[in-house]
């Protein structure tokens, strides 16, 4: 099958848009760009004029925020509740007793954080953008759409008969010469989302050679240290998939039981290189397709 496809740099990685009807690519791209711009202005941790920057700078004072910011915040708070705080938008804030401080956020006509709290939506914001972009693009283009934003994937609209081809790997970026990273090729056959959380990328080496990761364990306030190098999860939305994959990385050794108990198809790669799967995710790397959402 011939898909309409376009890729472009985004948030330190690569975004990819696939549409089932190639002549609808331009209108779908317009919707994706609109959502990216809205989420970036609301939630970026890397621009001083974002609503997130204003909220964090208020240090407990009330701040008026827009609908997009509130929608991402609500998604982040649902993730915190669903994971018992393992995915926490305030995880970067140091609290002596590691209490579930996110529950003290007040949302009325304005947003008020506890003094000293700083929010960081991290990958939840990216997953939210993928879900919303896919939904709006599919509606405007009137065809099936896949949106992948720096590794977070959302599918909306009618799924093509051939499905959506996806490669699951530690890193969504190709190598210097265009080579694909080691991973597994699958086919998405229903609407929903797929997300991968990895400790193999966005690492930082401290003086003395110690390597730390970008995912923080809210229970300790420290970077996560294994045992899983990568966890990929499929769910009914990209936000749900991202929530589960991040929580599994943080949970560590009992992640497989936790994912299986929730019937979430997942692929986990251990720090030593071996792989395991749960809840119906295919173990065979040559398997031609998998119903990984819904």
């Amino acid at each position: 099958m011939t898909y309409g496809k376009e890729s472009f740099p985004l948030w330190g990685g690569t975004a990819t848009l696939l549409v089932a009807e190639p002549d609808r690519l331009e209108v779908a791209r317009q919707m994706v760009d609109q959502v990216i711009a809205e989420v970036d202005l609301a939630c970026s941790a890397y621009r001083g004029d974002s609503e997130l920057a204003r909220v964090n700078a208020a240090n407990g004072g009330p701040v008026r925020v827009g609908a997009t910011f509130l929608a991402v915040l609500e998604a982040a708070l649902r993730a915190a509740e669903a994971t018992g705080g393992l995915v926490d938008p305030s995880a970067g804030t140091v609290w002596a007793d590691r209490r579930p401080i996110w529950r003290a956020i007040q949302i009325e006509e304005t947003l008020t954080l506890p003094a000293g709290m700083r929010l960081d939506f991290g990958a939840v914001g990216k997953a939210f953008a993928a879900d919303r972009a896919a939904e709006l693009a599919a509606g405007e283009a009137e065809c099936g759409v896949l949106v992948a934003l720096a590794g977070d994937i959302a599918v909306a609209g009618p799924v093509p008969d051939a499905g959506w081809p996806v490669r699951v790997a530690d890193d969504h970026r190709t190598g210097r010469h265009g080579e694909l990273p080691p991973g597994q090729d699958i086919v998405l056959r229903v609407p929903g989302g797929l997300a991968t959380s990895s400790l193999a990328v966005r690492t930082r080496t401290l003086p003395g050679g110690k390597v730390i990761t970008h995912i923080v364990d809210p229970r300790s306030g420290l970077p996560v240290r294994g045992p899983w190098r990568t966890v990929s999860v499929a769910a009914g939305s990209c936000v749900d998939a991202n929530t589960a994959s991040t929580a599994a990385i943080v949970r560590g050794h009992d992640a497989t039981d936790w994912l299986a108990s929730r019937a979430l198809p997942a692929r986990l790669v251990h720090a030593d290189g071996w792989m395991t799967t749960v809840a119906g995710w295919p173990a065979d790397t040559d398997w031609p397709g998998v119903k990984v959402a819904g």
Side-chain angles (χ1 to χ4, degrees):
M1 176 177 177
T2 301
Y3 303 93
K5 180 179 180 180
E6 192 167 353
S7 296
F8 51 95
L10 179 70
W11 296 332
T14 301
T16 297
L17 168 64
L18 293 176
V19 296
E21 302 292 339
D23 62 346
R24 307 301 294 164
L25 181 60
E26 182 177 353
V27 67
R29 172 66 190 270
Q30 291 173 355
M31 300 308 299
V32 172
D33 286 345
Q34 175 183 315
V35 171
I36 288 172
E38 291 173 354
V39 172
D40 193 62
L41 182 59
C43 304
S44 174
Y46 301 100
R47 52 187 293 178
D49 63 341
S50 70
E51 289 182 283
L52 177 65
R54 290 196 293 108
V55 167
N56 285 338
N59 193 30
V63 180
R64 289 191 178 276
V65 294
T68 297
F69 184 96
L70 286 177
V72 175
L73 175 59
E74 288 167 358
L77 295 178
R78 287 195 300 271
E81 290 291 346
T83 61
L86 295 185
V87 181
D88 180 354
S90 65
T93 307
V94 178
W95 304 104
D97 56 3
R98 309 307 307 168
R99 62 194 186 280
I101 194 65
W102 77 84
R103 292 176 178 158
I105 295 174
Q106 298 178 29
I107 306 174
E108 296 176 352
E109 292 185 1
T110 58
L111 174 66
T112 305
L113 304 183
M117 175 187 282
R118 293 183 61 83
L119 293 178
D120 185 347
F121 294 128
V124 169
K126 182 157 58 77
F128 173 92
D131 281 330
R132 176 162 288 187
E135 179 183 1
L136 294 182
E140 192 70 18
E142 298 182 331
C143 69
V145 169
L146 178 147
V147 174
L149 302 184
D152 282 350
I153 298 170
V155 171
V159 177
D161 291 341
W164 298 107
V166 169
R167 186 167 186 81
V168 179
D170 285 354
D171 193 342
H172 69 282
R173 298 167 295 185
T174 57
R176 294 178 58 186
H177 305 291
E179 67 274 15
L180 295 174
Q184 179 182 10
D185 293 316
I186 63 173
V187 177
L188 307 185
R189 300 195 181 278
V190 293
L194 187 152
T196 297
S197 295
S198 176
L199 300 183
V201 295
R202 294 177 61 192
T203 59
R204 186 159 58 97
T205 302
L206 300 178
K210 182 180 179 180
V211 177
I212 62 174
T213 64
H214 69 286
I215 299 178
V216 173
D217 185 340
R219 297 169 297 188
S220 66
L222 300 174
V224 173
R225 299 183 61 186
W228 305 111
R229 184 176 75 198
T230 301
V231 177
S232 301
V233 178
S237 70
C238 191
V239 167
D240 288 347
N242 181 275
T243 297
S245 65
T246 304
I249 285 277
V250 176
R251 291 189 73 92
H253 293 284
D254 71 341
T256 52
D257 291 340
W258 184 78
L259 290 164
S261 70
R262 286 155 178 77
L264 290 170
R267 173 183 186 266
L268 301 91
V269 181
H270 195 270
D272 292 336
W274 54 269
M275 182 189 78
T276 188
T277 62
V278 300
W281 188 290
D284 185 353
T285 57
D286 295 325
W287 202 81
V290 57
K291 183 176 180 180
V292 295

